[in-house]
Every structure is written in C-alpha cells, then in structure tokens.
Amino acid sequence: MEIIRGIAVAPGVAIGEAVILNASDYRIPYRTIESENIPSELERLEQAFAQSIDELSKQAELVNIQLGRDAANVFQWHIGVLRDERLRQSIVALVKDQLAAAAYAASSVMRDYQRRFMQMSDPLLVERIRDVQDIERRLLRNILGESREDLAHLKKPVILVAHDLTPTQTAQLAESKVLGVALDAGAATSHTAILLRSWGQPGVIGLNDVSTRVSGGDTVVIDGTNQIVIINPNETTLKEYEAREVAFVRLADELDELRDLPAETRDGVRVQLLSNIEFPQEAASGIRKGSDGVGLYRTEFLFLRHEGTPSEEEQYESYKAAILGADGKQVTIRTFDLGADKYTQQRSYEQERNPMLGLRSIRYSLQNLDMFKVQLRAILRAAVHGDVRLMFPLINSLMEFRQAKMTVHDALEDLEEAGLPCKRDIPTGMMLETPAAAIQVTEFCREVAFISIGTNDLIQYILAVDRGNERVCQFYTASHPAVLRALRDVVRACTRAGIDCSLCGEMAGQPMYTLFLLGLGLRKFSMAPASIPEVKKLVRLVSIAQAERVARRALSFDTELQVTNYLCDETRKVLPEDPI
Ligand code: PEP
Ligand code: MG
C-alpha cells in the first residue's frame, strides 16, 4: 500500500481499477520489487513484449496495404528491436539481479540503446533515436497497463491515472466510465482542474509521479476530501474506504434536500449562489443543484470541441441553449478568455515567454476584432431569450473597457442593419482580476454595470505566482493578507458606489472563505455547481453579524497561515461533521 498526497479538485471517494493514460514521455523513477515478485514482474514483461510485437505486426500489415513495403519496414525494424534477445536479457537481468521494477528496467535499457544511436556519426542512424523512443513508449504502455487516448471507449468503471490531461480530454470525462482521477501535474486553479471540478467526481492532482507509480490494473483509492491517493490499499484500508464511499453518497443526498431552499442566513439575508459553467448544458444542471443562475459562462471552452473558430450561428446556438437552460434566471456571459493556458488551436499560436502576462483575455479579443465582433453578435442575438449580462475578462484599464464597449456598439449596428433581433441595452460589466483594476475600482464603478471578482487570476497577479505551475502552488493562497485586504477594498468601493459586485473565482466555492466573504458584504457568489449545496448549507447556518466578526478578525492577521487556521476553525464550528 502506498499513499501519495496532492491537491484536491473535487471532494469524495472513488475506488477502482487503474487505467494509465498515455503520457507523451514517460519518466520512470527507480522502483524496486520484493524478490518473491520477480516471477510476476518477468511475466508482466513477457506479456508486454508479446503485446507490443503483436500491435506492431498489425500496424505493419496495415501500413503495407496503405503505403507500401518501404513504409511498413519501419515497423518491421521496431519488431526486430523487440525480438533482439540481448536487449531482452539486459532488461530481465536488471529485474532479477537488481530487483528493478519491469518498467524501470525496460526504460533504463531502452535509454542506453538510444544513447548508443546518439553517438553515431551517420545522421541516418541518429534518426533512429526517434524510433527507439517510440518502441520504448509502446513497451512501457504495455507494461504499465491498459491505455486509451480516447476515454469514451472505456468499457468498465475505472480510476484514470495520467501525467496530465488536456482540457479536451477532461471534457470527455463526463461521457466516460471514469470514477475518479489522479494526475502528476496540476494546480488547483488550472483550467484542467476547473473542468475536473465541474465534472464533479473525486480527483487529486499535483501528485508529481503517480502515473509511474501505479500500474494498470492496480486498485486505487482517490480520496478527494483528504487530498490523497492510495495505491493497492490493504484490506482494512479498503474496507474503511468502502464505508466512506457510502457515507459520502449519503451526505450528497442530504445536501440534495437543500436544493429548493433559499440560501438565506439565519438573520434573513438572502445570498445568491450561481454557477460557473463551461458548457451550455451545465446551466440547467446547475439549476437542478439549486443555483440562482449562471454567474460565469466561460465561453472559450467552445473552442475545445472545435477544429477552427466557432461560427456566429454555432455560438448563437450554444449561448441560447445556456440561456434557455437557466430557465429565466440571470446568465452572465463572459467573452472569450483565450491565451495563457487556454489556447484556441494551439498550433496557430506563437509560444510566449510569459503567457500569463501575455496576449490573453480581453487583450487578445481587442487584437482580433473580427473574431470578437462575431462573438458579440452571437451573444447580443441570444440575449433576447432571457436575462443576460455581458462581461469582459481581465479588464486592466478604463481604455480597454471603453474599447470593448465600442465594439459592442459596432456589433449592435451590424445586427440592426441586418435586421436581426438583438438586445440593445445589455448590462455590460467586467471581471476584476488584476491589481491595477483593484486599485482603480472607484473609477471603474462609474462606467461598468457590474463587477465580478475573478480571484483565480487576482490572487496570481497580486502574489506573483503562476496559478498553473505546480512548483509554486504552495505560495498560491487566497488567505494571504494582501489578497484579503484587496478584496475588502474592492467590495467596499462597489458597495459605496451601489455597483452589483459578485465573486466568481474558486474561492467562492470553498466553504472556509464563505464567512469571511459574507462579512465583507458580498451577497453574490458564482462557483462550480458541485460546490453550491455545501456553501448553501453553511450560509443557512450563520448570521451576518457572526460573519462580520470573522471578517474583521481575519483581516487583523499578518500571515496566511494564521488566516487559514482561523477561518478553518470558525468554519468547523459551524459544520463540525463536514470535510472542509
Ligand atoms: C478567475 O480568474 O477568478 C476566473 C473566474 O476566471 P478564470 O478562472 O476562467 O480565469
Ligand atoms: Mg480569470
């Protein structure tokens, strides 16, 4: 049994057989086995060789038919390498003599093999390195277990273990049989993590090398609540987790009963809890979980399932579906937040040295006005179907906001000329996500219809910590006193100006911050729909006076540790049984 600690993306327990998803480059750490496991390790190796040769023979046959013998010879060469008795014996020797795990033994011998090609002076032979890498990957995939790039084809419920998932792969999870996810890479606010959270099943990320420690077929427990992954649990642990799995389902059912009750504090103050959505169909599922509407529709995820830029008609249909799904409740559509870690079609982008400080969000839209106008037209047309607001991401200066609004006017003129029905007076607001916007909030309040605080980005820019980089994720925290004070000032300025202010970063869905945020005066939160029931439960158990006390005290601390400990303690007093 092995326990690894990471970062949770969604609470709950999932138990199942592991499937390892192909990594583009396996890095296998040195791992040893017990001597009594040598025969089974050698058997695993033998099977992986046989399976690899079988796959390659089929591939060679196919290529022979499609492209001819010369092309097929490439794969014949691969087969030849795998049949090389000396190579195989070197791997077997490492397992037998040094008790190396099969994956490590294979990887280390294959890397030696690559090095030999690297030293050759004939450029044609140097080219062979790529082939050897390819053989290594295939062999490792067959040693480490079943691997499917296409998650939709999984036949039984499994735990997915991978180095990382692209947002596209993550988006496929909802239609797959995956019960839970464990990833090497990741930070809590990366877009993969956000998508995992909206998927709602238990997940732990930032586990460094879990994908090489687990073999396909191992039993894996994902404990999203305690942020751990257990590989091959012993019998007692497995029993304990099976019981916890049942208890968690019971808690979810209990929370379900809150669905039709309002999020109202003990002293009768109504709080709005809305959903952050990535796909239109989530608007309706959020409402089913008891949400008051959509506070953030991340439209850039339209690009994920699309080969090129989505057309105006396609966008219109998606926005309309979300608006109708919200069933008359408010929907705030954010224009594309592309760039940084959310690329459109990656190949069309130049790599930037500092993408988080680069051409992203509203900057990208304002430099691609044709694309931006198409989107605005689609939103303005769809807006006639409900209560819709328009929001720009990462507004950093008044000029940017004005320019974006001017583009809205242009789009409206186009639509009127074309005689298409559209919403003329759409409330237009901004996401407050940068220190510059926070410092200038009073000026913004004179021009915007509303402000939504995007703490995911605001925290990364205030603290100068890349939100997607697991190497610095320990420095990324909403509890930093500088973040708390910035939030206090922004909410205060909006309240004075009478501007509708909400918060839509991940912080909104973390119960430990609910009391603090209520105490600052916020009454509108937007979060992953899965977080709504727990936050609602908490809101209904507290009073505003209590929240104000907590906020005042939290603001008096000097360090994030004090803040975190204090807020956790206060929250635990209200929800003693629930995991926070
Ligand atoms: C944010 O930055 O807080 C936010 C909600 O936007 P995103 O996570 O999509 O960048
Ligand atoms: Mg953001």
Side-chain angles (χ1 to χ4, degrees):
M1 172 163 117
E2 195 177 351
I3 301 176
I4 323 180
R5 186 164 292 278
I7 303 162
V9 280
V13 171
I15 307 170
E17 213 177 90
V19 159
I20 321 285
L21 195 73
N22 256 350
S24 55
D25 183 18
Y26 284 109
R27 255 172 247 107
I28 310 289
Y30 182 57
R31 191 159 71 90
T32 53
I33 52 169
E34 301 292 333
S35 52
E36 71 255 31
N37 292 336
I38 292 177
S40 62
E41 206 64 6
L42 291 178
E43 171 67 25
R44 185 202 281 267
L45 193 63
E46 200 45 51
Q47 276 176 8
F49 267 101
Q51 171 79 17
S52 303
I53 291 172
D54 190 44
E55 284 171 13
L56 283 163
S57 309
K58 288 193 182 121
Q59 188 121 349
E61 243 170 70
L62 199 70
V63 173
N64 193 10
I65 296 165
Q66 289 170 339
L67 302 170
R69 188 126 51 95
D70 285 346
N73 275 345
V74 173
F75 297 104
Q76 292 299 352
W77 191 82
H78 286 203
I79 294 172
V81 172
L82 288 174
R83 289 216 166 112
D84 178 347
E85 208 36 52
R86 263 190 311 177
L87 178 106
R88 210 185 279 214
Q89 283 317 320
S90 317
I91 301 175
V92 169
L94 270 183
V95 176
K96 277 189 179 160
D97 306 341
Q98 295 184 25
L99 297 178
Y104 175 79
S107 174
S108 104
V109 170
M110 293 304 286
R111 300 245 159 154
D112 264 356
Y113 208 67
Q114 284 169 38
R115 269 192 287 277
R116 268 187 272 153
F117 278 103
M118 238 178 267
Q119 285 152 4
M120 292 183 184
S121 49
D122 181 345
L124 278 178
L125 287 175
V126 174
E127 270 301 295
R128 290 285 192 201
I129 294 171
R130 282 212 201 102
D131 288 286
V132 182
Q133 285 169 342
D134 205 18
I135 300 166
E136 183 197 350
R137 267 202 289 274
R138 182 182 300 275
L139 191 56
L140 287 176
R141 173 162 56 74
N142 286 323
I143 294 172
L144 291 167
E146 187 183 2
S147 165
R148 291 276 158 82
E149 284 295 344
D150 187 356
L151 300 172
H153 287 144
L154 289 169
K155 295 212 172 52
K156 55 181 181 190
V158 292
I159 300 292
L160 183 68
V161 182
H163 175 68
D164 200 2
L165 292 177
T166 62
T168 313
Q169 289 168 325
T170 316
Q172 289 177 351
L173 289 172
E175 285 143 31
S176 76
K177 291 200 180 310
V178 175
L179 299 169
V181 167
L183 300 183
D184 297 342
T189 55
S190 67
H191 288 102
T192 294
I194 285 169
L195 280 174
L196 282 174
R197 204 162 289 131
S198 78
W199 171 57
Q201 293 289 106
V204 182
I205 60 171
L207 291 155
N208 290 314
D209 57 358
V210 69
S211 69
T212 52
R213 292 210 210 178
V214 177
S215 303
D218 281 354
T219 300
V220 172
V221 174
I222 307 280
D223 178 351
T225 307
N226 293 305
Q227 329 207 25
I228 55 174
V229 166
I230 305 172
I231 306 166
N232 291 327
N234 60 30
E235 211 171 307
T236 328
T237 311
L238 189 60
K239 282 231 168 68
E240 184 195 315
Y241 269 98
E242 280 165 352
R244 286 182 58 179
E245 198 179 16
V246 174
F248 206 86
V249 172
R250 202 178 319 121
L251 173 69
D253 288 346
E254 254 172 62
L255 289 175
D256 236 18
E257 287 167 16
L258 291 175
R259 200 189 53 190
D260 299 322
L261 298 172
E264 195 174 289
T265 58
R266 274 194 1 238
D267 45 352
V269 173
R270 179 71 163 89
V271 176
Q272 282 185 291
L273 304 180
L274 300 103
S275 320
N276 288 351
I277 67 167
E278 283 78 39
F279 303 105
Q281 60 273 26
E282 291 174 297
S285 58
I287 302 288
R288 285 197 294 276
K289 279 213 152 46
S291 105
D292 292 307
V294 174
L296 169 65
Y297 176 7
R298 293 185 164 103
T299 56
E300 59 278 5
F301 283 91
L302 272 171
F303 278 83
L304 282 184
R305 295 189 177 177
H306 213 278
E307 276 300 307
T309 303
S311 70
E312 181 175 327
E313 254 352 89
E314 283 164 302
Q315 292 189 47
Y316 167 74
E317 289 301 334
S318 296
Y319 305 150
K320 183 173 148 193
I323 295 162
L324 295 179
D327 200 20
K329 297 199 159 80
Q330 190 173 71
V331 177
T332 301
I333 303 183
R334 177 178 77 180
T335 60
F336 297 140
D337 187 19
L338 295 166
D341 58 343
K342 288 182 279 194
Y343 284 103
T344 53
Q345 314 311 326
Q346 247 149 355
R347 55 192 175 279
S348 62
Y349 280 79
E350 292 280 327
Q351 285 288 328
E352 291 180 286
R353 215 167 313 145
N354 270 316
M356 285 295 181
L357 303 181
L359 186 61
R360 64 168 297 208
S361 300
I362 195 67
R363 300 173 189 170
Y364 180 82
S365 293
L366 291 174
Q367 284 198 21
N368 290 274
L369 280 177
D370 290 341
M371 178 205 78
F372 192 33
K373 259 202 242 168
V374 167
Q375 178 175 39
L376 292 172
R377 278 203 297 269
I379 296 174
L380 293 166
R381 284 174 54 203
V384 298
H385 298 289
D387 177 4
V388 179
R389 310 194 303 175
L390 175 67
M391 177 161 79
F392 304 125
L394 207 82
I395 291 286
N396 202 35
S397 75
L398 284 161
M399 294 303 290
E400 245 168 12
F401 185 74
R402 288 175 195 159
Q403 211 186 332
K405 271 200 91 165
M406 259 154 44
T407 319
V408 177
H409 286 297
D410 289 352
L412 272 172
E413 268 176 22
D414 288 357
L415 289 171
E416 279 177 355
E417 237 168 67
L420 289 164
C422 61
K423 184 154 170 143
R424 285 225 105 253
D425 50 353
I426 191 162
T428 307
M430 64 180 272
M431 288 199 69
L432 189 144
E433 307 185 86
T434 69
I439 292 165
Q440 269 202 300
V441 60
T442 313
E443 287 98 312
F444 278 113
C445 283
R446 294 191 203 117
E447 302 202 18
V448 301
F450 63 92
I451 284 179
S452 190
I453 310 173
T455 41
N456 299 342
D457 277 310
L458 185 61
I459 295 167
Q460 86 164 334
Y461 293 126
I462 289 182
L463 301 182
V465 178
D466 178 350
R467 69 190 251 194
N469 181 345
E470 67 272 16
R471 279 182 284 183
V472 289
C473 63
Q474 71 272 29
F475 304 120
Y476 182 99
T477 168
S479 294
H480 195 295
V483 173
L484 302 191
R485 285 176 215 172
L487 291 175
R488 173 198 60 195
D489 294 347
V490 168
V491 176
R492 196 180 272 166
C494 290
T495 312
R496 280 199 191 125
I499 288 287
D500 177 317
C501 179
S502 54
L503 193 144
C504 65
E506 296 306 306
M507 190 181 183
Q510 294 172 317
M512 69 171 277
Y513 294 110
T514 306
L515 273 162
F516 171 75
L517 296 171
L518 282 175
L520 288 188
L522 275 167
R523 299 291 178 262
K524 198 168 179 178
F525 304 94
S526 193
M527 62 194 79
S531 305
I532 290 178
E534 182 88 43
V535 175
K536 189 189 271 190
K537 180 175 174 187
L538 182 54
V539 167
R540 292 177 57 82
L541 290 170
V542 299
S543 71
I544 292 297
Q546 179 185 2
E548 283 173 351
R549 243 187 344 265
V550 169
R552 262 196 307 276
R553 181 105 173 93
L555 281 162
S556 73
F557 295 117
D558 300 333
T559 69
E560 56 263 39
L561 193 65
Q562 288 169 302
V563 172
T564 297
N565 289 342
Y566 172 70
L567 291 181
C568 277
D569 286 351
E570 289 301 309
T571 311
R572 262 196 214 106
K573 281 186 206 159
V574 186
L575 296 173
E577 285 131 45
D578 293 6
I580 302 154

